[in-house]
Amino acid sequence: MKSAPWWKEATIYQIYPRSFFDSNGDGEGDLPGVTSQLDYVKSLGVDAIWLSPFYTSPNKDGGYDVANPRDVDPRFGNLEDAKELIAQAHKRNLRVIADIVPNHFSDQHEWFQAALKAGRGSKERERFHFYDANEDGTPPNNWISLFGGPSWTQVADGQFYLHLFDSSQPDLNWENPEVNADFEKTLRFWIDLGVDGFRIDVAHGLIKEDVLTNHSDPQGLSNALRLDVAMDSEVRNALLLTVPYFDRQGVHEIYRKWRKLFDSYVGREIMAVAEAWVHPPVNATRYVRADELHQVFNFDLLTAEFDSKVLFDVVERSISLNATVNALPTWALSNHDSPRVASRIGEEQARALALFVFGLPGSAYVFAGQELGLPDGQLQDSDRQDPTFLRTNGQIKGRDGARVPLPWSGNTTPFGFSTGKPWLPISQCWRDLTVESELADPKSSLHLYRNALELRKEFLVGAGGIAWLESSQHGAKNDSLLSYSRGSITVVMNLSDSAKECDASGKLIIVSGGTVDARDGKKVIPARSTAWFLA
Ligand code: NOJ
């Protein structure tokens, strides 16, 4: 029997290199730092690492402002360090996924610098979205940047360029064939260097429509696109249907071409996962049609309430929608753009939800530090570096809290992360959350993750679909229990604040918190906890 491709049900560990491990004492994590901790990564039981960008960049947006996509920024090391990282990962049978950022370049990229020089009407400007001002001097349209403020910036000769993100991130014009040619060169560059896949940043954004047309509610739309702005879900969903710069049909042609490029590396099983925030949810499945990409992120769990109906709906919908295109879902509880799950829903709930998710079909993404149960770092405004914070004059705090460096060892901050001053402060309160201290505690979150991922591999990867059990058949609001069986495992999550009995049979093999007792032939699941039973 042909075995499934490596990525199908892989557990993928996201590393934000700047915050992982600092090898040279400058206060910022780097590639040799990642390489030095690969044994730790391997010990978690994950199959692959995804590295957030480490390319040459002025770092206005955490490296998602790329000035040279085919080189390493000196703050992270050099190309030799990248090769060594890949080689050492492969030696441990860990695959490597690189982040590719096709929606925009940094304004320091040579193409943008050339466009500034070459002036209006030039071929150099056609690689971006340059337009003249309106007659009254205003920008070509009223779109608002996802980081706040206008999405147009004016250059010295009066023209404006489009940037959906920071003004230092000019959007590329994908109608220009030179752009795709350059990205294909970048994809090949990293594949030839050894990477096994790509995470595609803003995969839904490359094609823009109606660039010269105003939107009827640009501020509303910008708010609707932000997870950190609260909004009635019907209003949000209605606005999301009107966005002219995301999820246009043209993006799919690009991914069909890229798929051919990936498949031309016969025997390498190169994969790609799309970061595509699209609405309605069914649209996400278009990115994983057979001739397009391999996975698309499902971000629902980054915001979902810890509630049985909400979670039932998210899981059921993602599994069934993906099935329509013969794909498997992906699951992520945290990433570098969102509040950490332990802060968002609480520590015990975060452990319970992780164990619940690790049983599901598809690929599980784990954001470095999530395995330690890290909360968001507590920061002063003066520490913050996120362009969202800067562009909204501090109104929106931004994403730095999730990006605080990892605590490794010892009793005092910065806990072995660096011998220097970390780029964001690490709170002394994290003393019991270091890798070292969690390794010494069998009840720690770290041990839970390691045990769970081992059991997942042993009993669940490749085990097929899930069957919902008992009360969770319909996932009623406020139900205490949500449970499913898959292969030989029954997974029961108790969402309530008190212990609950359930009928699950089989032998207890793992529980996210507390102890499971037996009463009158039933199992008693502790409050805010998930347990797995083996038939
Ligand atoms: C999504 C990335 O995850 C985020 O960190 C970045 O700011 C935007 N894309 C823009 O590249």
Side-chain angles (χ1 to χ4, degrees):
M1 203 177 86
K2 194 173 173 295
S3 63
W6 69 268
W7 45 267
K8 264 256 140 131
E9 294 208 59
T11 307
I12 297 170
Y13 188 66
Q14 181 195 353
I15 293 181
Y16 195 72
R18 199 178 179 201
S19 299
F20 196 63
F21 192 85
D22 174 16
S23 74
N24 61 2
D26 66 358
E28 300 189 58
D30 43 46
L31 296 187
V34 175
T35 308
S36 72
Q37 301 304 328
L38 284 176
D39 285 335
Y40 167 72
V41 175
K42 180 70 187 173
S43 77
L44 298 173
V46 300
D47 306 290
I49 55 174
W50 147 31
L51 296 160
S52 282
F54 49 81
Y55 319 112
T56 317
S57 165
N59 198 34
K60 291 274 170 42
D61 180 25
Y64 284 93
D65 48 324
V66 179
N68 181 354
R70 299 186 284 273
D71 204 353
V72 173
D73 194 273
R75 79 176 66 231
F76 295 122
N78 56 37
L79 273 176
E80 286 309 308
D81 295 325
K83 278 191 208 157
E84 178 64 8
L85 195 174
I86 295 167
Q88 290 298 329
H90 286 168
K91 211 166 132 191
R92 291 163 177 77
N93 203 15
L94 288 168
R95 312 275 177 149
V96 179
I97 296 176
D99 215 313
I100 186 150
V101 190
N103 182 66
H104 43 265
F105 275 156
S106 157
D107 60 359
Q108 300 306 306
H109 188 284
E110 60 179 5
W111 276 12
F112 192 75
Q113 289 299 316
L116 289 181
K117 274 202 205 92
R120 104 165 357 87
S122 62
K123 278 173 61 183
E124 286 81 353
R125 285 207 177 173
E126 278 169 20
R127 294 162 170 162
F128 301 90
H129 296 275
F130 274 94
Y131 291 95
D132 286 331
N134 291 326
E135 271 175 18
D136 61 359
T138 53
N141 74 22
N142 63 357
W143 296 352
I144 290 179
S145 151
L146 275 91
F147 288 163
S151 58
W152 296 92
T153 290
Q154 197 162 27
V155 301
D157 61 21
Q159 280 210 306
F160 281 90
Y161 65 90
L162 176 71
H163 52 88
L164 293 182
F165 296 91
D166 188 51
S167 56
S168 67
Q169 294 166 295
D171 279 54
L172 285 157
N173 174 13
W174 276 83
E175 308 291 345
N176 181 337
E178 277 187 76
V179 174
N180 188 52
D182 190 69
F183 272 86
E184 293 206 352
K185 194 168 160 189
T186 300
L187 293 171
R188 288 186 190 284
F189 178 88
W190 291 105
I191 298 172
D192 293 341
L193 217 85
V195 310
D196 305 284
F198 297 93
R199 176 262 189 193
I200 304 175
D201 189 67
V202 200
H204 55 316
L206 314 193
I207 301 291
K208 278 87 186 170
E209 283 172 11
D210 304 326
V211 177
L212 296 179
T213 309
N214 280 339
H215 188 270
S216 55
D217 181 5
Q219 189 58 60
L221 179 59
S222 170
N223 291 342
L225 287 163
R226 313 187 55 104
L227 295 182
D228 45 6
V229 176
M231 190 183 271
D232 175 84
S233 65
E234 275 178 29
V235 175
R236 168 170 265 138
N237 290 343
L239 279 161
L240 290 178
L241 289 174
T242 68
V243 55
Y245 41 78
F246 284 155
D247 203 25
R248 306 293 92 193
Q249 283 306 316
V251 298
H252 297 288
E253 280 160 40
I254 300 167
Y255 300 131
R256 289 197 180 102
K257 281 191 213 142
W258 287 17
R259 179 58 180 256
K260 289 201 179 103
L261 186 157
F262 300 145
D263 288 350
S264 74
Y265 287 81
V266 177
R268 288 279 302 272
E269 293 187 322
I270 305 294
M271 66 81 81
V273 52
E275 187 216 20
W277 301 82
V278 295
H279 190 80
V282 66
N283 288 11
T285 62
R286 297 184 190 155
Y287 292 76
V288 285
R289 288 178 288 201
D291 57 348
E292 296 195 36
L293 303 173
H294 305 76
Q295 293 180 345
V296 56
F297 281 120
N298 165 12
F299 292 119
D300 294 345
L301 293 177
L302 297 176
T303 50
E305 266 173 81
F306 191 67
D307 173 87
S308 54
K309 170 141 179 59
V310 173
L311 294 172
F312 172 87
D313 286 348
V314 165
V315 170
E316 182 58 23
R317 185 173 68 201
S318 192
I319 292 177
S320 53
L321 286 180
N322 276 287
T324 62
V325 285
N326 206 14
L328 289 178
T330 61
W331 311 105
L333 304 185
S334 287
N335 65 25
H336 64 295
D337 290 330
S338 331
R340 282 188 177 273
V341 63
S343 289
R344 200 176 67 76
I345 62 173
E347 227 174 285
E348 292 168 287
Q349 290 88 334
R351 290 168 66 133
L353 189 57
L355 195 54
F356 186 79
V357 158
F358 288 153
L360 294 170
S363 209
Y365 283 77
V366 174
F367 179 42
Q370 186 189 323
E371 76 279 17
L372 302 172
L374 287 189
D376 283 333
Q378 296 300 316
L379 299 172
Q380 306 291 323
D381 282 356
S382 54
D383 297 322
R384 297 186 193 278
Q385 305 195 13
D386 187 342
T388 315
F389 176 78
L390 304 171
R391 286 180 64 88
T392 61
N393 295 321
Q395 261 178 318
I396 295 177
K397 294 293 177 199
R399 304 160 292 177
D400 294 306
R403 300 174 179 181
V404 169
L406 257 57
W408 290 90
S409 58
N411 292 319
T412 35
T413 178
F415 302 113
F417 163 72
S418 171
T419 53
K421 182 170 180 273
W423 71 278
L424 287 175
I426 311 176
S427 163
Q428 185 56 34
C429 311
W430 285 11
R431 194 180 139 150
D432 297 332
L433 297 175
T434 64
V435 170
E436 184 182 48
S437 102
E438 294 208 16
L439 278 175
D441 173 8
K443 292 204 167 336
S444 67
S445 176
L446 175 54
H447 279 289
L448 173 72
Y449 270 66
R450 299 215 307 193
N451 296 339
L453 292 180
E454 197 180 316
L455 293 168
R456 169 179 154 88
K457 208 162 266 169
E458 187 174 350
F459 297 111
L460 289 164
V461 168
I466 66 169
W468 293 104
L469 297 177
E470 301 164 16
S471 61
S472 52
Q473 286 280 354
H474 307 292
K477 187 100 185 150
N478 295 328
D479 254 6
S480 309
L481 297 178
L482 198 55
S483 63
Y484 60 85
S485 69
R486 184 171 178 230
S488 52
I489 302 287
T490 298
V491 175
V492 186
M493 175 160 65
N494 177 3
L495 298 101
S496 75
D497 289 332
S498 53
K500 293 283 172 212
E501 287 180 0
C502 75
D503 286 326
S505 58
K507 177 176 152 238
L508 175 77
I509 53 168
I510 189 167
V511 57
S512 68
T515 44
V516 175
D517 298 322
R519 192 189 296 152
D520 305 332
K522 300 202 176 222
K523 308 273 178 14
V524 185
I525 314 292
R528 300 174 298 275
S529 186
T530 297
W532 287 10
F533 300 94
L534 173 65

